[in-house]
Short mmCIF file of all heavy atoms in Angstrom, two decimals:
data_model
loop_
_atom_site.label_atom_id
_atom_site.label_comp_id
_atom_site.label_asym_id
_atom_site.label_seq_id
_atom_site.Cartn_x
_atom_site.Cartn_y
_atom_site.Cartn_z
N MET A 1 11.90 6.02 -17.91
CA MET A 1 12.02 4.59 -18.10
C MET A 1 10.62 3.99 -18.02
O MET A 1 9.84 4.33 -17.15
CB MET A 1 12.95 4.07 -17.01
CG MET A 1 12.82 2.64 -16.67
SD MET A 1 14.19 2.05 -15.67
CE MET A 1 13.49 2.19 -14.06
N THR A 2 10.28 3.10 -18.92
CA THR A 2 8.96 2.48 -18.91
C THR A 2 9.07 1.01 -18.59
O THR A 2 10.13 0.41 -18.72
CB THR A 2 8.25 2.65 -20.26
OG1 THR A 2 9.01 1.98 -21.24
CG2 THR A 2 8.06 4.12 -20.61
N GLY A 3 7.95 0.44 -18.19
CA GLY A 3 7.92 -0.97 -17.83
C GLY A 3 7.52 -1.87 -18.97
O GLY A 3 6.94 -2.91 -18.75
N GLY A 4 7.76 -1.45 -20.20
CA GLY A 4 7.44 -2.29 -21.35
C GLY A 4 5.94 -2.40 -21.53
O GLY A 4 5.22 -1.43 -21.45
N GLU A 5 5.48 -3.61 -21.76
CA GLU A 5 4.06 -3.83 -22.03
C GLU A 5 3.19 -3.70 -20.80
O GLU A 5 1.98 -3.63 -20.90
CB GLU A 5 3.87 -5.19 -22.67
CG GLU A 5 4.52 -5.29 -24.03
CD GLU A 5 4.31 -6.65 -24.65
OE1 GLU A 5 3.29 -7.29 -24.36
OE2 GLU A 5 5.18 -7.07 -25.42
N THR A 6 3.77 -3.68 -19.60
CA THR A 6 2.97 -3.62 -18.38
C THR A 6 2.38 -2.25 -18.16
O THR A 6 1.43 -2.10 -17.41
CB THR A 6 3.81 -3.99 -17.15
OG1 THR A 6 4.84 -3.02 -16.99
CG2 THR A 6 4.39 -5.38 -17.29
N GLY A 7 2.97 -1.21 -18.76
CA GLY A 7 2.48 0.13 -18.56
C GLY A 7 2.98 0.75 -17.26
O GLY A 7 2.64 1.87 -16.95
N ILE A 8 3.79 0.04 -16.50
CA ILE A 8 4.33 0.58 -15.26
C ILE A 8 5.39 1.60 -15.63
O ILE A 8 6.26 1.34 -16.44
CB ILE A 8 4.95 -0.54 -14.38
CG1 ILE A 8 3.85 -1.50 -13.96
CG2 ILE A 8 5.66 0.05 -13.18
CD1 ILE A 8 4.37 -2.75 -13.27
N ARG A 9 5.31 2.77 -15.01
CA ARG A 9 6.24 3.83 -15.35
C ARG A 9 6.80 4.45 -14.09
O ARG A 9 6.06 4.86 -13.21
CB ARG A 9 5.53 4.90 -16.17
CG ARG A 9 6.43 5.99 -16.57
CD ARG A 9 5.74 6.93 -17.51
NE ARG A 9 6.74 7.90 -17.89
CZ ARG A 9 6.49 9.16 -18.08
NH1 ARG A 9 5.27 9.61 -17.97
NH2 ARG A 9 7.44 9.98 -18.41
N MET A 10 8.10 4.51 -14.01
CA MET A 10 8.76 5.23 -12.93
C MET A 10 9.29 6.52 -13.53
O MET A 10 9.85 6.52 -14.62
CB MET A 10 9.89 4.41 -12.32
CG MET A 10 9.36 3.19 -11.58
SD MET A 10 10.63 2.32 -10.67
CE MET A 10 10.99 3.47 -9.38
N THR A 11 9.11 7.61 -12.82
CA THR A 11 9.50 8.90 -13.38
C THR A 11 11.00 9.08 -13.44
O THR A 11 11.51 9.73 -14.33
CB THR A 11 8.86 10.04 -12.57
OG1 THR A 11 9.24 9.89 -11.20
CG2 THR A 11 7.36 10.00 -12.68
N VAL A 12 11.73 8.52 -12.50
CA VAL A 12 13.19 8.59 -12.51
C VAL A 12 13.73 7.27 -11.99
O VAL A 12 13.08 6.60 -11.20
CB VAL A 12 13.74 9.74 -11.63
CG1 VAL A 12 13.34 11.08 -12.17
CG2 VAL A 12 13.30 9.60 -10.19
N PRO A 13 14.91 6.88 -12.39
CA PRO A 13 15.49 5.66 -11.84
C PRO A 13 15.70 5.80 -10.33
O PRO A 13 15.99 6.88 -9.84
CB PRO A 13 16.83 5.54 -12.56
CG PRO A 13 16.70 6.40 -13.77
CD PRO A 13 15.74 7.48 -13.42
N HIS A 14 15.55 4.74 -9.63
CA HIS A 14 15.70 4.74 -8.18
C HIS A 14 16.62 3.59 -7.82
O HIS A 14 16.45 2.48 -8.31
CB HIS A 14 14.32 4.56 -7.53
CG HIS A 14 14.32 4.77 -6.07
ND1 HIS A 14 14.57 3.77 -5.18
CD2 HIS A 14 14.10 5.89 -5.34
CE1 HIS A 14 14.49 4.25 -3.95
NE2 HIS A 14 14.23 5.52 -4.03
N PRO A 15 17.62 3.84 -6.94
CA PRO A 15 18.55 2.77 -6.62
C PRO A 15 17.90 1.54 -6.00
O PRO A 15 18.38 0.43 -6.15
CB PRO A 15 19.53 3.42 -5.64
CG PRO A 15 18.92 4.70 -5.24
CD PRO A 15 17.90 5.06 -6.26
N ASP A 16 16.81 1.72 -5.31
CA ASP A 16 16.08 0.60 -4.72
C ASP A 16 14.76 0.49 -5.47
O ASP A 16 13.72 0.86 -4.97
CB ASP A 16 15.86 0.82 -3.23
CG ASP A 16 15.19 -0.36 -2.55
OD1 ASP A 16 15.13 -1.43 -3.17
OD2 ASP A 16 14.72 -0.20 -1.42
N SER A 17 14.82 0.00 -6.71
CA SER A 17 13.67 0.07 -7.59
C SER A 17 12.65 -1.04 -7.38
O SER A 17 11.65 -1.08 -8.07
CB SER A 17 14.13 0.08 -9.05
OG SER A 17 14.79 -1.13 -9.34
N ALA A 18 12.89 -1.92 -6.44
CA ALA A 18 11.92 -2.99 -6.20
C ALA A 18 10.61 -2.37 -5.74
O ALA A 18 10.59 -1.49 -4.89
CB ALA A 18 12.46 -3.95 -5.14
N HIS A 19 9.54 -2.83 -6.33
CA HIS A 19 8.23 -2.30 -5.97
C HIS A 19 7.89 -2.70 -4.53
O HIS A 19 8.36 -3.71 -4.02
CB HIS A 19 7.17 -2.79 -6.94
CG HIS A 19 7.37 -2.22 -8.30
ND1 HIS A 19 7.05 -0.94 -8.62
CD2 HIS A 19 7.91 -2.77 -9.41
CE1 HIS A 19 7.37 -0.71 -9.87
NE2 HIS A 19 7.90 -1.80 -10.38
N VAL A 20 7.08 -1.90 -3.90
CA VAL A 20 6.80 -2.06 -2.47
C VAL A 20 5.37 -2.54 -2.21
O VAL A 20 4.88 -2.45 -1.09
CB VAL A 20 7.06 -0.74 -1.71
CG1 VAL A 20 8.52 -0.37 -1.79
CG2 VAL A 20 6.18 0.38 -2.24
N GLU A 21 4.72 -3.07 -3.23
CA GLU A 21 3.31 -3.44 -3.09
C GLU A 21 3.06 -4.38 -1.92
O GLU A 21 2.04 -4.29 -1.26
CB GLU A 21 2.79 -4.04 -4.39
CG GLU A 21 2.69 -3.00 -5.49
CD GLU A 21 2.34 -3.60 -6.83
OE1 GLU A 21 2.35 -4.85 -6.95
OE2 GLU A 21 2.06 -2.83 -7.74
N LEU A 22 3.99 -5.29 -1.65
CA LEU A 22 3.80 -6.23 -0.55
C LEU A 22 3.86 -5.55 0.82
O LEU A 22 3.36 -6.11 1.79
CB LEU A 22 4.82 -7.36 -0.62
CG LEU A 22 4.73 -8.26 -1.85
CD1 LEU A 22 5.86 -9.28 -1.84
CD2 LEU A 22 3.38 -8.95 -1.91
N LEU A 23 4.43 -4.37 0.89
CA LEU A 23 4.54 -3.65 2.15
C LEU A 23 3.43 -2.62 2.34
O LEU A 23 3.32 -2.03 3.41
CB LEU A 23 5.89 -2.92 2.22
CG LEU A 23 7.14 -3.80 2.23
CD1 LEU A 23 8.39 -2.93 2.14
CD2 LEU A 23 7.17 -4.65 3.48
N LEU A 24 2.61 -2.40 1.32
CA LEU A 24 1.64 -1.31 1.38
C LEU A 24 0.60 -1.49 2.49
O LEU A 24 0.22 -0.52 3.14
CB LEU A 24 0.94 -1.12 0.03
CG LEU A 24 1.82 -0.54 -1.06
CD1 LEU A 24 1.04 -0.45 -2.36
CD2 LEU A 24 2.38 0.81 -0.67
N GLY A 25 0.13 -2.70 2.71
CA GLY A 25 -0.85 -2.93 3.77
C GLY A 25 -0.29 -2.54 5.13
O GLY A 25 -0.95 -1.84 5.91
N ALA A 26 0.92 -2.97 5.41
CA ALA A 26 1.56 -2.63 6.68
C ALA A 26 1.85 -1.13 6.74
O ALA A 26 1.72 -0.51 7.80
CB ALA A 26 2.84 -3.43 6.85
N TYR A 27 2.22 -0.53 5.62
CA TYR A 27 2.48 0.91 5.57
C TYR A 27 1.21 1.69 5.91
O TYR A 27 1.24 2.62 6.72
CB TYR A 27 3.00 1.29 4.18
CG TYR A 27 3.30 2.75 4.02
CD1 TYR A 27 4.45 3.32 4.56
CD2 TYR A 27 2.44 3.58 3.30
CE1 TYR A 27 4.73 4.66 4.41
CE2 TYR A 27 2.72 4.93 3.14
CZ TYR A 27 3.86 5.46 3.69
OH TYR A 27 4.14 6.80 3.54
N VAL A 28 0.10 1.31 5.30
CA VAL A 28 -1.17 1.99 5.54
C VAL A 28 -1.57 1.89 7.01
O VAL A 28 -2.12 2.84 7.58
CB VAL A 28 -2.27 1.40 4.63
CG1 VAL A 28 -3.65 1.80 5.07
CG2 VAL A 28 -2.03 1.81 3.19
N LEU A 29 -1.29 0.76 7.62
CA LEU A 29 -1.67 0.55 9.03
C LEU A 29 -0.63 1.10 10.00
O LEU A 29 -0.82 1.03 11.22
CB LEU A 29 -1.89 -0.94 9.30
CG LEU A 29 -3.06 -1.56 8.54
CD1 LEU A 29 -3.08 -3.07 8.75
CD2 LEU A 29 -4.37 -0.92 8.97
N GLY A 30 0.47 1.66 9.50
CA GLY A 30 1.51 2.21 10.36
C GLY A 30 2.30 1.14 11.09
O GLY A 30 2.79 1.38 12.19
N ALA A 31 2.44 -0.02 10.48
CA ALA A 31 3.06 -1.16 11.15
C ALA A 31 4.50 -1.42 10.70
O ALA A 31 5.08 -2.43 11.08
CB ALA A 31 2.22 -2.41 10.91
N LEU A 32 5.09 -0.53 9.92
CA LEU A 32 6.46 -0.72 9.47
C LEU A 32 7.43 -0.02 10.41
O LEU A 32 7.09 0.98 11.06
CB LEU A 32 6.65 -0.16 8.06
CG LEU A 32 5.87 -0.82 6.94
CD1 LEU A 32 6.13 -0.11 5.63
CD2 LEU A 32 6.22 -2.29 6.83
N GLY A 33 8.64 -0.50 10.44
CA GLY A 33 9.70 0.18 11.17
C GLY A 33 10.14 1.41 10.40
O GLY A 33 9.77 1.60 9.23
N PRO A 34 10.95 2.26 11.01
CA PRO A 34 11.35 3.51 10.37
C PRO A 34 12.05 3.34 9.02
O PRO A 34 11.79 4.09 8.09
CB PRO A 34 12.30 4.15 11.39
CG PRO A 34 11.97 3.52 12.70
CD PRO A 34 11.45 2.14 12.37
N ALA A 35 12.93 2.35 8.90
CA ALA A 35 13.66 2.17 7.64
C ALA A 35 12.72 1.72 6.52
O ALA A 35 12.78 2.25 5.40
CB ALA A 35 14.79 1.15 7.83
N GLU A 36 11.85 0.75 6.81
CA GLU A 36 10.91 0.29 5.78
C GLU A 36 9.91 1.38 5.44
O GLU A 36 9.53 1.56 4.29
CB GLU A 36 10.17 -0.96 6.25
CG GLU A 36 11.01 -2.21 6.21
CD GLU A 36 10.23 -3.43 6.66
OE1 GLU A 36 9.50 -3.32 7.66
OE2 GLU A 36 10.37 -4.48 6.01
N ASP A 37 9.47 2.13 6.44
CA ASP A 37 8.54 3.23 6.23
C ASP A 37 9.15 4.26 5.26
O ASP A 37 8.50 4.70 4.31
CB ASP A 37 8.19 3.88 7.56
CG ASP A 37 7.04 4.85 7.45
OD1 ASP A 37 5.89 4.37 7.31
OD2 ASP A 37 7.28 6.07 7.50
N ALA A 38 10.41 4.61 5.50
CA ALA A 38 11.09 5.58 4.63
C ALA A 38 11.26 5.01 3.22
O ALA A 38 11.11 5.74 2.23
CB ALA A 38 12.45 5.94 5.23
N ARG A 39 11.55 3.73 3.12
CA ARG A 39 11.71 3.09 1.80
C ARG A 39 10.41 3.15 1.01
O ARG A 39 10.39 3.51 -0.17
CB ARG A 39 12.16 1.65 1.96
CG ARG A 39 12.24 0.91 0.65
CD ARG A 39 12.75 -0.51 0.82
NE ARG A 39 12.53 -1.22 -0.42
CZ ARG A 39 11.86 -2.36 -0.53
NH1 ARG A 39 11.40 -2.96 0.53
NH2 ARG A 39 11.68 -2.92 -1.69
N VAL A 40 9.30 2.82 1.67
CA VAL A 40 8.00 2.84 1.00
C VAL A 40 7.66 4.27 0.58
O VAL A 40 7.25 4.52 -0.56
CB VAL A 40 6.90 2.23 1.88
CG1 VAL A 40 5.53 2.43 1.26
CG2 VAL A 40 7.16 0.75 2.11
N LEU A 41 7.82 5.22 1.49
CA LEU A 41 7.50 6.61 1.18
C LEU A 41 8.31 7.10 -0.01
O LEU A 41 7.78 7.72 -0.93
CB LEU A 41 7.74 7.49 2.40
CG LEU A 41 7.51 8.99 2.19
CD1 LEU A 41 6.08 9.26 1.76
CD2 LEU A 41 7.85 9.75 3.46
N GLY A 42 9.61 6.82 0.00
CA GLY A 42 10.45 7.23 -1.12
C GLY A 42 10.03 6.61 -2.42
O GLY A 42 10.00 7.27 -3.47
N HIS A 43 9.68 5.33 -2.38
CA HIS A 43 9.24 4.65 -3.60
C HIS A 43 7.92 5.22 -4.10
O HIS A 43 7.73 5.41 -5.31
CB HIS A 43 9.12 3.15 -3.34
CG HIS A 43 8.81 2.37 -4.58
ND1 HIS A 43 9.80 1.99 -5.48
CD2 HIS A 43 7.65 1.92 -5.09
CE1 HIS A 43 9.23 1.33 -6.48
NE2 HIS A 43 7.93 1.28 -6.26
N LEU A 44 7.00 5.51 -3.19
CA LEU A 44 5.70 6.05 -3.60
C LEU A 44 5.84 7.40 -4.29
O LEU A 44 5.03 7.74 -5.16
CB LEU A 44 4.76 6.17 -2.39
CG LEU A 44 4.30 4.86 -1.79
CD1 LEU A 44 3.44 5.12 -0.56
CD2 LEU A 44 3.56 4.01 -2.80
N GLN A 45 6.85 8.15 -3.92
CA GLN A 45 7.07 9.44 -4.56
C GLN A 45 7.54 9.30 -6.00
O GLN A 45 7.36 10.21 -6.81
CB GLN A 45 8.09 10.25 -3.76
CG GLN A 45 7.55 10.67 -2.41
CD GLN A 45 8.61 11.29 -1.51
OE1 GLN A 45 9.80 11.18 -1.77
NE2 GLN A 45 8.16 11.93 -0.46
N LEU A 46 8.09 8.13 -6.35
CA LEU A 46 8.65 7.91 -7.68
C LEU A 46 7.83 7.01 -8.58
O LEU A 46 7.94 7.10 -9.80
CB LEU A 46 10.05 7.30 -7.55
CG LEU A 46 11.07 8.11 -6.77
CD1 LEU A 46 12.35 7.32 -6.61
CD2 LEU A 46 11.33 9.44 -7.46
N CYS A 47 7.02 6.14 -8.00
CA CYS A 47 6.37 5.08 -8.78
C CYS A 47 4.86 5.28 -8.82
O CYS A 47 4.17 5.11 -7.81
CB CYS A 47 6.73 3.72 -8.17
SG CYS A 47 5.97 2.34 -9.06
N GLU A 48 4.37 5.59 -9.98
CA GLU A 48 2.93 5.83 -10.15
C GLU A 48 2.09 4.59 -9.87
O GLU A 48 1.03 4.66 -9.26
CB GLU A 48 2.66 6.35 -11.56
CG GLU A 48 1.23 6.71 -11.81
CD GLU A 48 1.00 7.26 -13.20
OE1 GLU A 48 1.97 7.62 -13.89
OE2 GLU A 48 -0.17 7.33 -13.59
N SER A 49 2.57 3.43 -10.28
CA SER A 49 1.83 2.19 -10.09
C SER A 49 1.64 1.88 -8.60
O SER A 49 0.53 1.57 -8.15
CB SER A 49 2.57 1.05 -10.79
OG SER A 49 1.94 -0.18 -10.51
N CYS A 50 2.71 1.96 -7.84
CA CYS A 50 2.62 1.69 -6.40
C CYS A 50 1.83 2.78 -5.69
O CYS A 50 1.09 2.51 -4.74
CB CYS A 50 4.01 1.54 -5.79
SG CYS A 50 4.84 0.01 -6.30
N ARG A 51 1.97 4.02 -6.15
CA ARG A 51 1.21 5.12 -5.55
C ARG A 51 -0.29 4.91 -5.76
O ARG A 51 -1.09 5.13 -4.85
CB ARG A 51 1.67 6.45 -6.15
CG ARG A 51 1.12 7.66 -5.45
CD ARG A 51 1.78 8.97 -5.91
NE ARG A 51 1.91 9.11 -7.35
CZ ARG A 51 3.07 9.06 -8.00
NH1 ARG A 51 4.20 8.83 -7.37
NH2 ARG A 51 3.10 9.21 -9.31
N THR A 52 -0.67 4.44 -6.93
CA THR A 52 -2.09 4.15 -7.20
C THR A 52 -2.59 3.03 -6.30
O THR A 52 -3.68 3.11 -5.75
CB THR A 52 -2.27 3.78 -8.69
OG1 THR A 52 -1.88 4.90 -9.48
CG2 THR A 52 -3.71 3.41 -8.99
N ALA A 53 -1.78 1.98 -6.14
CA ALA A 53 -2.16 0.88 -5.24
C ALA A 53 -2.31 1.38 -3.81
O ALA A 53 -3.23 0.99 -3.10
CB ALA A 53 -1.13 -0.25 -5.31
N TYR A 54 -1.41 2.26 -3.38
CA TYR A 54 -1.49 2.84 -2.04
C TYR A 54 -2.79 3.64 -1.89
O TYR A 54 -3.51 3.49 -0.90
CB TYR A 54 -0.28 3.74 -1.77
CG TYR A 54 -0.50 4.68 -0.62
CD1 TYR A 54 -0.46 4.23 0.69
CD2 TYR A 54 -0.76 6.03 -0.84
CE1 TYR A 54 -0.69 5.09 1.76
CE2 TYR A 54 -0.99 6.89 0.21
CZ TYR A 54 -0.94 6.42 1.50
OH TYR A 54 -1.18 7.28 2.54
N LEU A 55 -3.10 4.48 -2.85
CA LEU A 55 -4.31 5.30 -2.77
C LEU A 55 -5.57 4.45 -2.73
O LEU A 55 -6.56 4.82 -2.09
CB LEU A 55 -4.36 6.29 -3.93
CG LEU A 55 -3.30 7.39 -3.89
CD1 LEU A 55 -3.32 8.20 -5.17
CD2 LEU A 55 -3.48 8.28 -2.67
N ASP A 56 -5.53 3.28 -3.38
CA ASP A 56 -6.67 2.38 -3.35
C ASP A 56 -6.95 1.83 -1.96
O ASP A 56 -8.08 1.47 -1.64
CB ASP A 56 -6.47 1.21 -4.31
CG ASP A 56 -6.61 1.61 -5.77
OD1 ASP A 56 -7.16 2.70 -6.05
OD2 ASP A 56 -6.17 0.83 -6.63
N MET A 57 -5.92 1.74 -1.13
CA MET A 57 -6.11 1.16 0.21
C MET A 57 -5.89 2.15 1.35
O MET A 57 -6.01 1.77 2.51
CB MET A 57 -5.22 -0.06 0.38
CG MET A 57 -3.75 0.22 0.42
SD MET A 57 -2.74 -1.25 0.74
CE MET A 57 -2.83 -2.13 -0.79
N ALA A 58 -5.60 3.39 1.05
CA ALA A 58 -5.25 4.36 2.08
C ALA A 58 -6.38 4.61 3.09
O ALA A 58 -6.11 4.96 4.23
CB ALA A 58 -4.82 5.68 1.44
N ASP A 59 -7.62 4.43 2.69
CA ASP A 59 -8.76 4.68 3.58
C ASP A 59 -9.09 3.48 4.47
O ASP A 59 -9.98 3.57 5.31
CB ASP A 59 -10.00 5.06 2.78
CG ASP A 59 -9.87 6.42 2.12
OD1 ASP A 59 -9.10 7.25 2.63
OD2 ASP A 59 -10.54 6.65 1.10
N ALA A 60 -8.42 2.37 4.29
CA ALA A 60 -8.74 1.16 5.05
C ALA A 60 -8.72 1.36 6.56
O ALA A 60 -9.66 0.93 7.25
CB ALA A 60 -7.82 0.01 4.65
N PRO A 61 -7.71 2.03 7.15
CA PRO A 61 -7.73 2.21 8.60
C PRO A 61 -8.94 3.00 9.09
O PRO A 61 -9.54 2.66 10.11
CB PRO A 61 -6.43 2.97 8.89
CG PRO A 61 -5.52 2.61 7.78
CD PRO A 61 -6.44 2.48 6.57
N ALA A 62 -9.34 4.03 8.36
CA ALA A 62 -10.51 4.82 8.75
C ALA A 62 -11.79 3.99 8.66
O ALA A 62 -12.67 4.08 9.52
CB ALA A 62 -10.63 6.07 7.88
N LEU A 63 -11.88 3.14 7.63
CA LEU A 63 -13.05 2.29 7.50
C LEU A 63 -13.09 1.22 8.59
O LEU A 63 -14.15 0.93 9.14
CB LEU A 63 -13.07 1.63 6.11
CG LEU A 63 -13.24 2.59 4.94
CD1 LEU A 63 -13.07 1.86 3.62
CD2 LEU A 63 -14.59 3.29 5.00
N LEU A 64 -11.94 0.64 8.89
CA LEU A 64 -11.88 -0.36 9.96
C LEU A 64 -12.22 0.25 11.32
O LEU A 64 -12.80 -0.42 12.18
CB LEU A 64 -10.51 -1.01 10.01
CG LEU A 64 -10.19 -1.96 8.87
CD1 LEU A 64 -8.72 -2.37 8.92
CD2 LEU A 64 -11.10 -3.17 8.91
N ALA A 65 -11.89 1.52 11.51
CA ALA A 65 -12.16 2.19 12.78
C ALA A 65 -13.66 2.35 13.03
O ALA A 65 -14.08 2.57 14.17
CB ALA A 65 -11.48 3.54 12.82
N LEU A 66 -14.48 2.21 12.01
CA LEU A 66 -15.92 2.33 12.17
C LEU A 66 -16.52 1.12 12.89
O LEU A 66 -17.65 1.17 13.36
CB LEU A 66 -16.60 2.50 10.81
CG LEU A 66 -16.24 3.76 10.04
CD1 LEU A 66 -16.86 3.70 8.64
CD2 LEU A 66 -16.70 5.00 10.79
N PHE A 67 -15.76 0.03 12.94
CA PHE A 67 -16.25 -1.22 13.52
C PHE A 67 -15.53 -1.52 14.82
O PHE A 67 -14.36 -1.24 14.97
CB PHE A 67 -16.02 -2.39 12.56
CG PHE A 67 -16.75 -2.24 11.25
CD1 PHE A 67 -16.12 -1.71 10.15
CD2 PHE A 67 -18.07 -2.64 11.15
CE1 PHE A 67 -16.78 -1.57 8.94
CE2 PHE A 67 -18.75 -2.51 9.96
CZ PHE A 67 -18.11 -1.97 8.85
N SER A 68 -16.27 -2.13 15.73
CA SER A 68 -15.63 -2.64 16.95
C SER A 68 -15.02 -4.00 16.65
O SER A 68 -15.32 -4.62 15.62
CB SER A 68 -16.66 -2.77 18.08
OG SER A 68 -17.54 -3.85 17.81
N GLU A 69 -14.18 -4.47 17.54
CA GLU A 69 -13.60 -5.79 17.36
C GLU A 69 -14.70 -6.85 17.31
O GLU A 69 -14.64 -7.78 16.51
CB GLU A 69 -12.63 -6.10 18.50
CG GLU A 69 -11.92 -7.42 18.34
CD GLU A 69 -10.89 -7.68 19.44
OE1 GLU A 69 -10.59 -6.77 20.22
OE2 GLU A 69 -10.41 -8.82 19.51
N ASP A 70 -15.73 -6.71 18.14
CA ASP A 70 -16.84 -7.66 18.12
C ASP A 70 -17.56 -7.65 16.78
O ASP A 70 -17.96 -8.70 16.28
CB ASP A 70 -17.83 -7.36 19.26
CG ASP A 70 -17.27 -7.69 20.63
OD1 ASP A 70 -16.34 -8.53 20.71
OD2 ASP A 70 -17.75 -7.11 21.61
N ASP A 71 -17.76 -6.45 16.21
CA ASP A 71 -18.40 -6.37 14.89
C ASP A 71 -17.60 -7.15 13.85
O ASP A 71 -18.17 -7.90 13.06
CB ASP A 71 -18.48 -4.91 14.41
CG ASP A 71 -19.47 -4.08 15.20
OD1 ASP A 71 -20.43 -4.65 15.77
OD2 ASP A 71 -19.28 -2.85 15.24
N LEU A 72 -16.30 -6.99 13.88
CA LEU A 72 -15.46 -7.66 12.90
C LEU A 72 -15.46 -9.17 13.12
O LEU A 72 -15.52 -9.95 12.17
CB LEU A 72 -14.03 -7.11 12.96
CG LEU A 72 -13.90 -5.65 12.53
CD1 LEU A 72 -12.49 -5.15 12.80
CD2 LEU A 72 -14.29 -5.46 11.09
N LEU A 73 -15.40 -9.61 14.38
CA LEU A 73 -15.41 -11.05 14.67
C LEU A 73 -16.76 -11.66 14.33
O LEU A 73 -16.82 -12.77 13.80
CB LEU A 73 -15.05 -11.29 16.14
CG LEU A 73 -13.61 -10.98 16.51
CD1 LEU A 73 -13.43 -11.10 18.01
CD2 LEU A 73 -12.64 -11.85 15.76
N ASP A 74 -17.84 -10.97 14.64
CA ASP A 74 -19.19 -11.47 14.30
C ASP A 74 -19.35 -11.59 12.79
O ASP A 74 -19.98 -12.53 12.32
CB ASP A 74 -20.27 -10.55 14.87
CG ASP A 74 -20.40 -10.63 16.36
OD1 ASP A 74 -19.88 -11.60 16.97
OD2 ASP A 74 -21.03 -9.73 16.94
N GLY A 75 -18.78 -10.66 12.04
CA GLY A 75 -18.89 -10.70 10.60
C GLY A 75 -18.20 -11.90 9.98
O GLY A 75 -18.61 -12.38 8.93
N LEU A 76 -17.18 -12.41 10.63
CA LEU A 76 -16.48 -13.57 10.09
C LEU A 76 -17.37 -14.81 10.11
O LEU A 76 -17.25 -15.65 9.23
CB LEU A 76 -15.20 -13.84 10.89
CG LEU A 76 -14.10 -12.78 10.76
CD1 LEU A 76 -12.93 -13.12 11.68
CD2 LEU A 76 -13.63 -12.67 9.32
N GLY A 77 -18.24 -14.92 11.08
CA GLY A 77 -19.12 -16.07 11.16
C GLY A 77 -20.21 -16.06 10.12
O GLY A 77 -20.77 -17.09 9.78
N ASP A 78 -20.50 -14.88 9.53
CA ASP A 78 -21.55 -14.76 8.54
C ASP A 78 -21.06 -14.95 7.10
O ASP A 78 -21.85 -14.98 6.19
CB ASP A 78 -22.19 -13.36 8.62
CG ASP A 78 -22.90 -13.14 9.95
OD1 ASP A 78 -23.28 -14.13 10.59
OD2 ASP A 78 -23.07 -11.97 10.32
N ALA A 79 -19.77 -15.12 6.93
CA ALA A 79 -19.23 -15.25 5.60
C ALA A 79 -19.69 -16.55 4.94
O ALA A 79 -19.71 -17.61 5.57
CB ALA A 79 -17.69 -15.21 5.63
N ALA A 80 -20.06 -16.44 3.68
CA ALA A 80 -20.49 -17.62 2.94
C ALA A 80 -19.27 -18.44 2.55
O ALA A 80 -18.25 -17.88 2.17
CB ALA A 80 -21.26 -17.20 1.69
N PRO A 81 -19.37 -19.77 2.64
CA PRO A 81 -18.22 -20.62 2.27
C PRO A 81 -17.92 -20.58 0.80
O PRO A 81 -18.66 -20.32 -0.02
CB PRO A 81 -18.61 -22.01 2.73
CG PRO A 81 -20.06 -21.98 3.02
CD PRO A 81 -20.47 -20.54 3.10
#
């Protein structure tokens, strides 16, 4: 099944076909409950578009771990308006 002009392609139909992009940030950070976690994981196994979005942000926790809380708070004050 294809997503028409969007180019989104799911390899097989899935009963819960709603994309999970809005949950990916929480999924990457391990902040979802077991049911939502399983839903996202199952969807990522079927949906190339969401899997690509996940891979784009999967390293975020490791990158954030390089900074202390003070580093992150100090950086907010340096942001240009």
